[in-house]
Amino acid sequence: MGNGMIRFFLVLLLFLSSAEYIFSLYEDQVGLMDWHQRYVGKVKHAVFHTQKTGRKRVAVSTEENVVALLDLRHGEIIWRHVLGANDAVDAVDIALGKYVITLSSEGSILRAWSLPDGQMVWGSFLQGSNLSKSLLSLPVNLKANKGNVILVFSKGCLHAVSSIDGEVLWEKDLSAESIEVQQIIRPLGSDMIYAVGFVGSSQFDAYQINAKNGELVKHKSADFPDGFYGDLLLVSSDILVSLDATRTSLVTIDFQKGEIIFKKTHVSDIVDESFGTAVLLPSELSGMFAVRFNTLLVFIKVTIEGKLEVVDKITNAAAVSDALSFSEGQQAFALVEHVDRKILLTMKLVHDWNSDLLKESIAMDLQRGMVQKVFINTYIRTDRSQGFRALIVMEDHSLLLLQQGEIVWSREEGLASVIDVTTSELPVEKKGILVVKVEQSLFEWLKGHVLKLKGTLMLAGPEDIAAIQGMRLKSSEKSKMTRDHNGFWKLLIVLTKAGKLYALHTGDGRVVWSLLLPSLRESGSCKRPTGLSVYQWQVPHHHAMDENPSVLVVGRCRPNWDAPVALSFVDTYTGKELKSMGLIHSCAQVIPLPFTDSTEQRLHLLIDAEKHAHLYPRTSEAIGILQHEFSNIYWYSVEADNGIIRGHVLTSNCIGMVDEYCFTSRELWSIVFPSESEKIIATATRKLNEVVHTQAKAIADQDVMYKYISKNLLFVATSAPKASGEFGMAQPEESCLVVYLIDTVTGRILHRMTHHGSQGPVHAVLSENWVVYHYFNLRAHRYEMSVMEIYDQSWVDNKDVWKLVVGKHNLTSPISLYSRPAVVTKSQSYFFTHSVKAIAVTSTAKGITSKQLLIGTIGDQVLALDKRYLDPRRSLDPTQAEKEEGIIPLTDSLPIIPQSYVTHALNVEGLRGIVTLPAKLESTTLVFAYGVDIFFTRIAPSRTYDSLTEDFSYALLLLTIVALIAAIFVTWIMSERKELQEKWT
C-alpha cells in the first residue's frame, strides 16, 4: 500500500509537470504577439454592384495592382488579388452582373473574376505589335454568338472578346495606320462602333467598324494644323473635345457627319489667362465637360451646334465624378468642394445645373488632405426617395464612403504604400500621472484562476478558451502608451508614398497619430514629392522625461536628382511638425553621422548633386563637433547606371557660398566596372546600429578566429549586361555574377568571387563579418544562396596567452583602415527552393542571441532560417568537436521547415520589405514586414531563455509545490509508521 501511494504521487507530479507542454494551445494565443492588417491601396477605378436584393458591393482596382471587392456596408475586403509589380491594372468593369472584368499589363491580359468569390473564370492574352493606350469598353446589350461583347483596344489592335469564356471573336489590326485610339464609341442601339484617335500630333482619324464581325465600314481622317494635346473627351455620341497643342484653345470635333468638323474656342474667351494653363478633367459628363485652371474649375456645356457655353465657375472644387444614369433616363454627377474644415458634396443633374439633387456638408480630418477622386452610386431610401452615396479617394490615399451627410466607413489605404520605416521609444511612465487600475473583486480573481486551471487540465470549452484569450489580451497591456520593461511596445514611424507619417503601436497595430506633412504634399509647395525617407533625428536618453524624440523626413520635390528637397521635423509622441524647410538645395544622399549634440540631436550630412555636404542641425555646436571629427568622415556613392563606385572625404567650406554649414568634398577613390561585362545590380551594407557581442569566434580543434568587423564594409553584386534582365534573356555561358567586398574608406577590394552561369536579381544582407546573398543559377535551373565570412588575421599574434600575461600584445595599438588588412574569407553555396522578395537578419540588444535570416518568399510569407544552415564550415562528415560546436552536416539544399514561417498561415500580400528591431529583452527580436499588407510579430531565435513565457501558469506552479509538500508529508508519515512497525517486530 505504501509503494502504491508513492507511485500515485509520482505519476501525479509527472502529469502536472508536463501538462503545460502537452496543452500547447495556439488558438488561444492568436493576437498576443503579432498582428496583421490587410489593405488594397490607392483606388484608381471603382464600379458599384448594388442590386435590389443581395449584398451591396464595389469592385476596385488600385495603384498597387490590386483587384478587390469591398463590402459597402462596412468597407471590409470580400476578396482581392494582387496581380504583381509588372501587371498594372488599366481598367475594371462588371459584366453580366456576375463577372469583374480587368484589363492589365498595358492591355495584354483580360481576365474575368467571379463576383461572389473572386475565382478567376477565364483569362485571355491579347496579341499586338505596338505599344499603345489601353481601353476597355462594355457596350450595353451588344451581343454576339457567345453572350455580350467586350471591346478592348491594346497594342494597336481592336479586339472583341466574349464575356462568357474570353474567346477573341474578332480583332482589327490598326497598327499599320499608327493611330492612337482615344475612345471607343457605340451609338445607342447601333451595331456600329467608332474607334477615334490621333495619328501623330495633328491628324484625327475615325474608324467605323461593324461590331458583329469587325469589318471596316468607313474610315475618315482630317488634319488639324494647330495639333492636339492630351486625351479626347466624349461629350455626346458625335462630339469630342480636346485641347490644341499650345493648350490655349479648346477644340470640338464633330465626326459622325459627312466630314470631320473642327471648331476652336480660345481659352481667353472663357476665363482670364492669369488663372493658368487649361487641363481637361477626365470625367465623363453627357453634353458637358470640365476644365481646371489651377484652383479654378470651369464647367462648359456643348450645344447642338457645337458651341461652348460656360455653365459655372467654382474656385474650391476638388473632384468631379462621372455621370450616373438613374430613374427616367436622368443623369447626375457629384461635385466635391473644400470649405474650411469640411467638404461639400453636391449632386447635380447634368441637364439642369440650377437644381441640386443633394447637398451635404461633411466634417473632414485635415490630415487626409484634398479629395482626389469621387465615385457615385444611387440607392432607394426607406421612404422610397432617391438617395446617393459617394466613394471618395483622399490625398493621403485613404478611402471613405459618404452617405446621408456622414462618413459610413474609412480605410487607411495609405499604409499599403509604406516606403520607409523607423522607430521611436514610448514615453517613460511618470508616477502620479498614469494610474493603473489594479483593484479586482475576489470573485473575478478566483474565476480567472479557475479558467486558467481548466485550460491547463484541457477541460476548457470554446467559451472558456475565448475568455482566457480575452484575459491574456487584457493583461498584456498592449494599448499602454508607456514603455514596458521588456521593450516590446514601441512606435513604428512609417512613411508612405503620399508623404504621410503614421505612428503605429507595436502592441496592436493601431494608428496612434498620423500627419500628412504640409511641406511634402501635392497641395503644398512641394508638388509630387519623391525619394521620401525618414531618419531618427533626436533620441533623448538622459532627458527622456523632459524632451520628446523626433524624426527627420526628407523628400525631393521632383523626380530628378538635382531637384530641391523639403525637410520636415516631426515630434514622434504628438505627431506635430516642429519645423520644416522647403525648396532648399538638392539632395542625392543622406548620411546620418554617429555624433549627437548636447540636446541629443543626431548630426546629418545631406549631399547635393554637386557633391557638396550640408550639415544639419544648423548650429554652431554641430559645426564644432563636425570639425573635431572632420578627418574621420568618409562616405561613398554608387552610380549603378554608370557602373562606378566613388569614395569621398570632406575638405573645406563651400567657396562662393555664404553658408558656414556647407562643405566641399574630394573624391578619394573610384572603382569603374567595365560596362561591356559588368553592371551593378545590388549593394548591401551593415546596419549602423548593429551590436556585435564579441569579435572572437571559437573554432573546433583550433584557436580563436577573429571576425573582421567594419562598419565601412560594402557588398556589391554585378552581372553581365545580357543577364541583368529577365530570365531567358541570356544563356548560361553568357551569364556571370560577380560579388565584391569593398572597404569604403580606401576603396580596397577585400574579396572577389565569381559565379559562372548565374544571374540576378540579387537580394543580400550583411551582418557582423558575413554576407548572405540570393541569386539564380542558370546551369542548375535553381535558386541559390551563398554565404561569405571574412576574418581578420592581424589578430593572430594575440592568441598567445603568455604574450597577453607579460604585456607583449598589440590589443591597444591604433587600427587604421589604410593599413592593408590581413583577411581570410570562407564561402559556401546552397540550393534554395524559393524565389526571394526581401531578406533581413534578426537583431538583438546585445548581439548575444543566435542569428536568423528572415526571408520574404515569393508566396508573400516570411521564413526564419537559422544562420547555422548558412555556415561555410559545414562538411559532409563533421568531426566530433565540430558537432559539439554546432556545425550541421553539409547538404546541397537549405531546409524549408513549415514551423519556421514567422507569418504562420498569413500572407503579407505584395511583400516589399522586412525590418527587424531589437527589444530590451536580449532573446527577442521585433519583426515588421510591409507590402500591400503590414504584419508585426516578435520572435526568439534562441527561444526565450531569459524570461518566462506570457502563458506561464503560476497556478500550476503553486499546485505542483502544494502536491510536492503533500507528497513529502505523506511519505514521511508512512516512513515513520513503517520504522515503528519494524521496531515492534
Side-chain angles (χ1 to χ4, degrees):
M1 180 178 178
N3 293 335
M5 288 292 293
I6 293 174
R7 282 197 297 268
F8 170 77
F9 281 111
L10 290 176
V11 171
L12 176 63
L13 290 175
L14 181 62
F15 170 76
L16 291 175
S17 61
S18 61
E20 185 71 14
Y21 176 78
I22 296 170
F23 183 67
S24 297
L25 282 178
Y26 292 99
E27 60 178 341
D28 68 336
Q29 296 178 350
V30 174
L32 285 176
M33 295 186 294
D34 58 65
W35 44 263
H36 178 226
Q37 297 177 6
R38 304 169 71 222
Y39 298 101
V40 295
K42 184 182 180 181
V43 172
K44 295 193 299 183
H45 311 102
V47 183
F48 291 90
H49 182 262
T50 54
Q51 297 177 342
K52 292 182 179 180
T53 59
R55 202 171 181 182
K56 305 297 187 290
R57 296 163 289 193
V58 58
V60 299
S61 66
T62 70
E63 292 185 355
E64 280 67 39
N65 304 340
V66 176
V67 180
L69 191 69
L70 305 180
D71 182 5
L72 273 181
R73 187 177 181 85
H74 302 292
E76 298 170 348
I77 299 174
I78 299 174
W79 57 260
R80 64 173 178 170
H81 295 285
V82 182
L83 301 185
N86 300 320
D87 196 5
V89 182
D90 304 313
V92 64
D93 210 332
I94 293 179
L96 303 177
K98 59 180 180 179
Y99 297 147
V100 175
I101 307 296
T102 60
L103 182 65
S104 61
S105 291
E106 298 178 338
S108 299
I109 304 175
L110 186 69
R111 298 183 180 95
W113 313 89
S114 174
L115 187 65
D117 56 13
Q119 296 295 320
M120 192 172 78
V121 180
W122 53 259
S124 295
F125 184 78
L126 305 179
Q127 302 289 341
S129 55
N130 294 346
L131 291 178
S132 65
K133 183 178 180 179
S134 301
L135 298 174
L136 174 67
S137 176
L138 274 69
V140 179
N141 296 327
L142 180 58
K143 297 183 181 296
N145 294 332
K146 290 190 175 182
N148 286 20
V149 175
I150 301 171
L151 298 176
V152 177
F153 178 79
S154 65
K155 295 190 173 182
C157 292
L158 181 62
H159 309 266
V161 183
S162 169
S163 60
I164 300 296
D165 55 8
E167 179 185 351
V168 179
L169 303 175
W170 56 261
E171 61 183 20
K172 182 66 178 177
D173 191 354
L174 301 175
S175 59
E177 286 77 10
S178 302
I179 181 174
E180 183 74 16
V181 174
Q182 299 288 332
Q183 292 282 349
I184 300 174
I185 306 165
R186 183 211 175 196
L188 187 62
S190 173
D191 288 337
M192 296 296 167
I193 59 174
Y194 291 86
V196 297
F198 302 133
V199 176
S201 60
S202 60
Q203 179 179 321
F204 174 82
D205 280 40
Y207 291 85
Q208 185 179 358
I209 300 171
N210 190 326
K212 297 290 185 180
N213 52 28
E215 292 182 358
L216 178 62
V217 177
K218 188 183 295 184
H219 171 219
K220 293 185 291 185
S221 177
D223 288 327
F224 183 68
D226 294 341
F228 298 100
Y229 177 86
D231 298 335
L232 280 172
L233 286 183
L234 181 65
V235 181
S236 64
S237 60
D238 56 352
I239 300 292
L240 297 163
V241 175
S242 183
L243 286 167
D244 70 346
T246 61
R247 300 168 70 181
T248 58
S249 296
L250 291 167
V251 184
T252 59
I253 307 170
D254 189 341
F255 64 93
Q256 286 194 25
K257 296 179 181 178
E259 59 181 9
I260 299 173
I261 302 172
F262 299 109
K263 288 186 179 180
K264 283 180 56 178
T265 303
H266 203 276
V267 170
S268 60
D269 297 338
I270 299 173
V271 297
D272 191 279
E273 294 182 355
S274 62
F275 280 98
T277 307
V279 178
L280 287 179
L281 291 191
S283 301
E284 297 179 1
L285 306 175
S286 178
M288 188 185 301
F289 65 96
V291 186
R292 185 182 296 280
F293 300 88
N294 291 334
T295 59
L296 180 67
L297 189 63
V298 181
F299 287 90
I300 302 173
K301 182 181 179 180
V302 181
T303 64
I304 298 176
E305 296 80 14
K307 295 182 180 180
L308 303 184
E309 296 180 358
V310 176
V311 177
D312 203 353
K313 299 177 182 179
I314 301 174
T315 56
N316 297 321
V320 179
S321 74
D322 290 340
L324 173 70
S325 298
F326 60 103
S327 61
E328 300 178 358
Q330 291 183 315
Q331 288 189 328
F333 70 95
L335 171 65
V336 179
E337 302 173 70
H338 284 269
V339 181
D340 297 329
R341 293 176 176 267
K342 297 182 178 181
I343 63 171
L344 186 63
L345 175 65
T346 307
M347 299 297 304
K348 287 183 173 292
L349 283 171
V350 173
H351 301 291
D352 187 4
W353 183 267
N354 295 323
S355 62
D356 295 336
L357 293 174
L358 178 72
K359 199 164 189 176
E360 297 174 342
S361 179
I362 301 106
M364 186 61 61
D365 184 3
L366 292 178
Q367 299 307 323
R368 298 192 183 278
M370 305 286 286
V371 177
Q372 292 193 334
K373 290 185 180 180
V374 56
F375 308 93
I376 59 172
N377 179 242
T378 182
Y379 67 97
I380 304 299
R381 297 192 182 101
T382 54
D383 60 359
R384 310 308 297 172
S385 62
Q386 196 74 46
F388 294 91
R389 58 172 68 96
L391 190 70
I392 62 173
V393 181
M394 304 299 293
E395 188 178 348
D396 67 341
H397 298 185
S398 59
L399 186 67
L400 298 87
L401 183 70
L402 308 181
Q403 188 170 323
Q404 296 182 356
E406 296 181 354
I407 299 175
V408 180
W409 51 259
S410 63
R411 295 182 56 88
E412 292 290 347
E413 295 299 338
L415 290 170
S417 58
V418 174
I419 56 177
D420 203 2
V421 184
T422 188
T423 58
S424 173
E425 293 290 345
L426 286 165
V428 177
E429 185 173 356
K430 298 180 181 180
K431 294 182 179 180
I433 297 178
L434 296 176
V435 181
V436 181
K437 185 178 179 180
V438 295
E439 294 91 357
Q440 288 183 337
S441 66
L442 180 61
F443 174 76
E444 292 294 330
W445 183 83
L446 290 173
K447 181 181 176 182
H449 282 283
V450 169
L451 282 174
K452 290 181 180 180
L453 184 60
K454 289 175 70 175
T456 300
L457 300 176
M458 294 181 289
L459 299 175
E463 294 182 359
D464 294 332
I465 292 175
I468 294 171
Q469 184 180 10
M471 290 170 56
R472 287 178 175 174
L473 290 172
K474 185 178 179 180
S475 63
S476 63
E477 295 183 340
K478 299 175 78 168
S479 60
K480 197 174 182 180
M481 282 300 298
T482 55
R483 301 182 192 181
D484 62 306
H485 63 280
N486 290 324
F488 294 158
W489 311 144
K490 301 177 185 289
L491 288 179
L492 290 170
I493 311 299
V494 300
L495 179 63
T496 67
K497 190 188 297 184
K500 187 172 186 178
L501 272 181
Y502 290 87
L504 306 179
H505 196 293
T506 58
D508 52 9
R510 75 183 186 280
V511 177
V512 177
W513 56 260
S514 61
L515 174 66
L516 186 61
L517 296 167
S519 54
L520 290 172
R521 53 185 295 191
E522 292 188 12
S523 57
S525 59
C526 192
K527 301 291 184 181
R528 299 191 180 276
T530 60
L532 295 166
S533 52
V534 59
Y535 303 89
Q536 290 185 341
W537 175 252
Q538 187 175 24
V539 186
H541 295 289
H542 305 296
H543 309 288
M545 302 291 287
D546 305 320
E547 298 182 16
N548 294 350
S550 56
V551 293
L552 164 66
V553 182
V554 182
R556 290 195 304 275
C557 297
R558 291 191 301 273
N560 46 316
W561 285 100
D562 58 350
V565 296
L567 308 181
S568 180
F569 304 86
V570 181
D571 189 313
T572 61
Y573 287 173
T574 63
K576 294 181 180 179
E577 188 174 46
L578 302 175
K579 62 178 179 178
S580 64
M581 304 174 67
L583 302 179
I584 54 175
H585 52 77
S586 61
C587 180
Q589 195 174 358
V590 179
I591 303 173
L593 299 177
F595 316 119
T596 58
D597 61 13
S598 59
T599 62
E600 300 186 69
Q601 292 182 126
R602 188 168 186 173
L603 273 61
H604 290 71
L605 286 179
L606 273 63
I607 313 301
D608 64 17
E610 288 76 30
K611 303 302 180 185
H612 292 158
H614 301 266
L615 176 65
Y616 292 87
R618 299 170 71 85
T619 61
S620 56
E621 182 187 4
I623 290 180
I625 296 172
L626 182 70
Q627 289 176 345
H628 185 265
E629 301 288 345
F630 205 80
S631 60
N632 293 325
I633 297 176
Y634 301 84
W635 77 91
Y636 68 92
S637 60
V638 179
E639 300 174 17
D641 295 336
N642 300 326
I644 303 175
I645 302 177
R646 307 179 191 272
H648 309 274
V649 66
L650 294 177
T651 53
S652 60
N653 285 92
C654 295
I655 301 173
M657 295 180 62
V658 187
D659 187 357
E660 59 180 327
Y661 305 103
C662 177
F663 300 88
T664 58
S665 64
R666 176 170 56 90
E667 184 178 314
L668 279 179
W669 55 265
S670 64
I671 299 175
V672 181
F673 297 96
S675 58
E676 65 276 3
S677 60
E678 294 187 60
K679 180 181 179 180
I680 299 174
I681 59 174
T683 60
T685 186
R686 280 183 59 196
K687 282 186 177 181
L688 294 176
N689 59 349
E690 184 184 38
V691 177
V692 180
H693 176 62
T694 177
Q695 189 176 359
K697 181 177 181 179
I699 305 299
D701 298 329
Q702 296 184 29
D703 292 331
V704 176
M705 291 187 70
Y706 292 92
K707 304 173 186 177
Y708 182 79
I709 304 296
S710 173
K711 291 186 177 180
N712 302 299
L713 199 61
L714 174 67
F715 169 83
V716 179
T718 66
S719 72
K722 285 187 178 181
S724 61
E726 298 179 356
F727 296 146
M729 300 296 292
Q731 298 298 320
E733 56 272 11
E734 299 175 318
S735 303
C736 183
L737 182 69
V738 186
V739 296
Y740 301 85
L741 288 176
I742 300 173
D743 187 290
T744 58
V745 173
T746 62
R748 185 177 291 117
I749 297 176
L750 302 177
H751 186 67
R752 180 181 185 272
M753 180 182 291
T754 303
H755 299 275
H756 294 285
S758 299
Q759 73 167 77
V762 172
H763 297 275
V765 61
L766 197 155
S767 175
E768 294 189 351
N769 68 318
W770 53 265
V771 61
V772 171
Y773 52 100
H774 177 275
Y775 55 93
F776 188 75
N777 189 326
L778 288 170
R779 296 184 187 275
H781 300 284
R782 298 174 71 176
Y783 288 100
E784 285 187 0
M785 290 186 75
S786 294
V787 57
M788 286 193 299
E789 292 186 355
I790 182 168
Y791 292 94
D792 191 350
Q793 292 294 97
S794 62
W795 291 69
V796 172
D797 295 337
N798 300 326
K799 295 178 182 178
D800 194 336
V801 178
W802 290 110
K803 287 186 177 181
L804 186 64
V805 172
V806 299
K808 295 182 179 180
H809 58 83
N810 62 350
L811 291 176
T812 58
S813 62
I815 299 174
S816 173
L817 290 174
Y818 282 100
S819 59
R820 181 174 292 275
V823 297
V824 61
T825 58
K826 298 179 181 293
S827 60
Q828 184 66 272
S829 298
Y830 304 90
F831 290 122
F832 191 66
T833 56
H834 282 305
S835 175
V836 168
K837 287 188 171 183
I839 187 170
V841 64
T842 56
S843 56
T844 55
K846 303 296 182 183
I848 301 172
T849 305
S850 300
K851 299 283 186 179
Q852 280 187 343
L853 292 169
L854 300 177
I855 302 169
T857 66
I858 192 66
D860 292 323
Q861 292 185 301
V862 179
L863 174 70
L865 182 65
D866 198 318
K867 171 59 176 63
R868 292 185 304 160
Y869 288 109
L870 283 155
D871 191 329
R873 295 175 52 239
R874 288 178 63 184
S875 60
L876 290 172
D877 188 18
T879 64
Q880 183 61 34
E882 289 176 335
K883 290 180 181 179
E884 293 176 357
E885 184 189 339
I887 300 295
I888 301 173
L890 180 64
T891 56
D892 62 346
S893 298
L894 295 172
I896 305 294
I897 304 171
Q899 292 82 4
S900 297
Y901 281 99
V902 173
T903 48
H904 312 300
L906 301 173
N907 287 0
V908 186
E909 295 287 355
L911 180 65
R912 293 191 305 272
I914 304 171
V915 178
T916 60
L917 314 165
K920 288 183 181 179
L921 205 63
E922 171 58 28
S923 64
T924 306
T925 295
L926 309 180
V927 180
F928 179 66
Y930 60 90
V932 176
D933 295 347
I934 56 177
F935 174 82
F936 176 85
T937 189
R938 60 177 189 260
I939 61 175
S942 300
R943 301 185 182 274
T944 52
Y945 58 84
D946 52 358
S947 66
L948 296 173
T949 60
E950 285 189 354
D951 57 351
F952 181 80
S953 177
Y954 293 94
L956 180 61
L957 176 62
L958 180 62
L959 186 60
T960 304
I961 294 173
V962 171
L964 283 172
I965 294 173
I968 293 171
F969 181 73
V970 170
T971 53
W972 176 75
I973 293 176
M974 294 174 64
S975 176
E976 289 290 330
R977 185 178 298 174
K978 184 178 180 181
E979 184 179 353
L980 182 60
Q981 289 178 352
E982 289 177 352
K983 288 182 178 180
W984 277 102
T985 56

